[in-house]
């Protein structure tokens, strides 16, 4: 009899969990970021489709603000799942310890915590893009322009030294998507046999305005020496393009510029011929994967996909140029 009572009680608890009375809490590091805004709206679409209650928090690029929002959320027991885009991905351990006490799952996205931190708690997951592949695909686009590494296409190797004079526009220091994209880009070009001279690399925090400003400085220093610009995302590339237009760079010859993300404005710039190409950062698939995890937790289902290091899943992107538009 006693056993039966316990059984009924547990079933009741499970049922209340299934009906998802609590919200799915979605935390964005900064909704002014173009890609994050599109990813969060894809997540919203998923939540609406599945009829989940959800709340979106924007920490406006402040980890202190995000901590405050999270602690408040935990203390009021408002959430069933935490979907978390950290401001400072290296500061995950204290958040993980706090959530662990609630025994609720965390799905990190886009800003990847260290594996040593993810390992602190079994119910921690990460959904992101595949930055290594993105860098590799950027190198492929570059190779398709410059051609034979022993005898570079003269249209792009403007000074004819058989080396690619390159400018790198990087996202944020210590962001996995910045470092891995740029490293994979340079490594792959080297593997393919290209000689590359990095004239300079500049961090522009993923922002169009910063891309504009930095390009202005870079152009003052290197002007016509630049043969190729590779940017960690489309927004920074668009900023650079905007500045280069003021210098009439595109009037007489072509300067190839590539990005990552495949934003609406990025695609428009490809169509207009200013951006040579981009690599799609697939926000729809990433949102679907986040929704898959949410669905498993809310309905007490087993996660039956294979995860890298028991916690992570990386969604592949693909090349987009005028030809494939
Ligand atoms: C990257 C994306 C950038 C920026 C960043 C934010 O994956 O390519 O545009 O949104 O995430 O963490
Ligand atoms: Ca050259």
């Amino acid at each position: 009899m006693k056993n039966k009572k316990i059984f009924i009680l547990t079933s009741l608890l499970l049922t209340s969990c299934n009906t998802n009375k609590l919200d799915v809490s979605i935390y964005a590091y900064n909704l002014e970021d173009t890609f994050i805004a599109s990813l969060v709206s894809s997540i919203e679409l998923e939540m609406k489709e599945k009829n989940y209650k959800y709340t979106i928090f924007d920490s406006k690029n402040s980890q202190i603000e995000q901590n405050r929002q999270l602690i408040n959320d935990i203390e009021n027991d408002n959430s069933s799942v935490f979907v978390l885009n950290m401001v400072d991905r290296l500061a995950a351990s204290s958040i993980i310890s706090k959530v662990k006490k609630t025994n609720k799952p965390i799905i990190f996205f886009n800003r990847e915590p260290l594996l040593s931190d993810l390992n602190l708690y079994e119910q921690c997951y990460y959904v992101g893009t595949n930055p290594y592949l993105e860098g590799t695909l950027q190198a492929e686009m570059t190779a398709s322009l410059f051609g034979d590494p022993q005898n570079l296409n003269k249209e792009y190797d403007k000074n004819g030294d058989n080396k690619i004079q390159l400018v790198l526009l990087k996202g944020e220091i210590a962001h996995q998507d910045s470092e891995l994209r740029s490293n994979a880009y340079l490594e792959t070009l080297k593997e393919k046999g290209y000689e590359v001279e990095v004239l300079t690399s500049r961090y522009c925090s993923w922002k169009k305005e910063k891309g504009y400003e930095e390009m202005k400085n870079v152009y003052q220093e290197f002007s016509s020496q630049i043969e190729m610009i590779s940017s960690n995302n489309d927004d920074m590339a668009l900023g650079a393009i905007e500045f280069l237009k003021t210098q009439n760079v595109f009037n007489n010859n072509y300067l190839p510029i590539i990005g990552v993300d495949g934003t609406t404005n990025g695609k428009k710039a490809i169509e207009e011929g200013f951006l040579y190409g981009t690599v799609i950062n697939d926000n729809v698939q990433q949102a679907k994967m986040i929704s898959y995890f949410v669905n498993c937790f809310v309905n007490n289902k087993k996660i039956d996909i294979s995860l890298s290091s028991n916690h992570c899943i990386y969604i592949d992107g693909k090349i987009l140029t005028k030809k494939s538009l």
Side-chain angles (χ1 to χ4, degrees):
M1 187 57 196
K2 205 175 170 197
N3 275 348
K4 196 170 179 193
K5 258 195 202 148
I6 292 173
F7 174 74
I8 293 169
L9 190 64
T10 358
S11 337
L12 276 176
L13 283 176
L14 281 177
T15 331
S16 72
C17 197
N18 282 344
T19 53
N20 187 32
K21 291 227 176 65
L22 299 173
D23 285 16
V24 176
S25 290
I26 302 160
Y27 290 85
Y29 95 97
N30 186 4
L31 283 176
E32 276 182 10
D33 176 307
T34 312
F35 172 72
I36 293 300
S38 66
L39 178 52
V40 169
S41 47
S42 296
I43 299 172
E44 271 197 273
L45 277 181
E46 284 288 325
M47 297 296 112
K48 283 186 185 142
E49 207 174 274
K50 306 247 164 51
N51 256 329
Y52 293 143
K53 287 204 301 171
Y54 64 90
T55 310
I56 293 175
F57 300 88
D58 179 6
S59 50
K60 299 191 188 322
N61 212 12
S62 157
Q63 189 59 61
I64 296 171
E65 175 61 10
Q66 192 170 62
N67 289 353
R68 203 190 53 73
Q69 294 167 334
L70 262 157
I71 290 167
N72 191 42
D73 197 2
I74 293 171
E75 281 174 357
N76 291 310
D77 196 22
N78 289 332
S79 315
S80 51
V81 187
F82 299 93
V83 178
L84 183 51
N85 177 219
M86 291 209 62
V87 179
D88 178 1
R89 72 185 187 104
L90 304 175
S93 68
S94 70
I95 300 286
I96 293 175
S97 313
K98 286 194 178 70
V99 176
K100 190 175 175 182
K101 289 193 187 124
T102 69
N103 204 28
K104 289 170 185 168
I106 323 177
I107 309 158
F108 289 98
F109 68 100
N110 173 264
R111 299 164 81 90
E112 182 175 2
L114 299 175
L115 184 58
S116 53
D117 289 343
L118 292 174
N119 279 337
L120 294 171
Y121 182 34
E122 224 177 81
Q123 294 201 74
C124 267
Y125 300 89
Y126 173 71
V127 177
T129 186
N130 179 345
Y132 192 86
L133 176 69
E134 285 159 341
T136 310
L137 295 177
Q138 283 192 316
E140 266 177 34
M141 284 192 269
T142 307
S144 73
L145 290 167
F146 283 84
D148 180 359
Q150 306 309 321
N151 184 19
L152 296 186
N153 186 338
K154 295 285 169 296
E155 192 186 337
Y156 303 112
D157 179 20
K158 288 182 197 130
N159 65 353
D161 67 349
N162 223 37
K163 289 183 197 160
I164 306 174
Q165 272 73 26
L166 191 74
V167 170
L168 292 178
L169 298 181
K170 299 185 70 168
E172 285 164 280
I173 297 176
H175 190 304
Q176 81 285 337
D177 289 346
S178 276
E179 307 306 346
L180 290 171
R181 281 172 192 164
S182 298
N183 292 347
Y185 179 63
L186 296 175
E187 261 173 42
T188 311
L189 285 175
K190 207 171 153 198
E191 272 164 25
K192 287 179 183 290
Y194 291 98
E195 256 197 86
V196 167
E197 186 189 341
V198 180
L199 297 173
T200 183
S201 61
R202 306 285 166 110
Y203 285 97
C204 311
S205 311
W206 310 114
K207 292 189 183 127
K208 185 174 173 191
E209 314 83 72
K210 284 257 173 84
Y212 184 101
E213 254 171 58
E214 282 302 334
M215 199 60 230
K216 192 171 174 181
N217 300 331
V218 169
Y219 198 74
Q220 260 164 17
E221 207 176 327
F222 299 103
S223 60
S224 58
Q225 287 176 59
I226 308 166
E227 294 177 343
M228 172 86 214
I229 300 172
S230 168
S231 172
N232 282 161
N233 82 346
D234 290 351
D235 266 5
M236 300 184 297
L238 293 174
I241 289 170
E242 202 166 296
F243 172 74
L244 293 169
K245 278 184 183 167
T246 68
Q247 307 300 302
N248 301 320
V249 167
F250 302 103
N251 289 7
N252 304 318
N253 51 37
Y254 186 68
L255 176 60
I257 305 172
I258 53 177
V260 176
D261 281 344
T263 61
T264 309
N265 286 334
K267 286 180 188 155
K268 196 166 155 243
I270 293 177
E271 220 167 77
E272 293 167 352
F274 294 112
L275 187 64
Y276 172 71
T278 190
V279 183
I280 304 281
N281 190 349
D282 195 336
N283 68 76
V284 174
Q285 285 311 318
Q286 288 168 46
K288 283 194 191 309
M289 192 47 73
I290 291 168
S291 167
Y292 165 80
F293 280 109
V294 171
N295 186 43
C296 289
F297 302 134
V298 173
N299 295 308
N300 294 311
K301 281 192 190 150
K302 200 174 165 294
I303 291 160
D304 59 1
I305 48 170
S306 78
L307 299 171
S308 139
S309 311
N310 292 324
H311 297 280
C312 305
I313 187 123
Y314 305 103
I315 307 289
D316 287 352
K318 58 173 192 282
I319 290 178
L320 187 78
T321 59
K322 210 168 186 173
K323 274 182 244 149
S324 48
L325 260 179

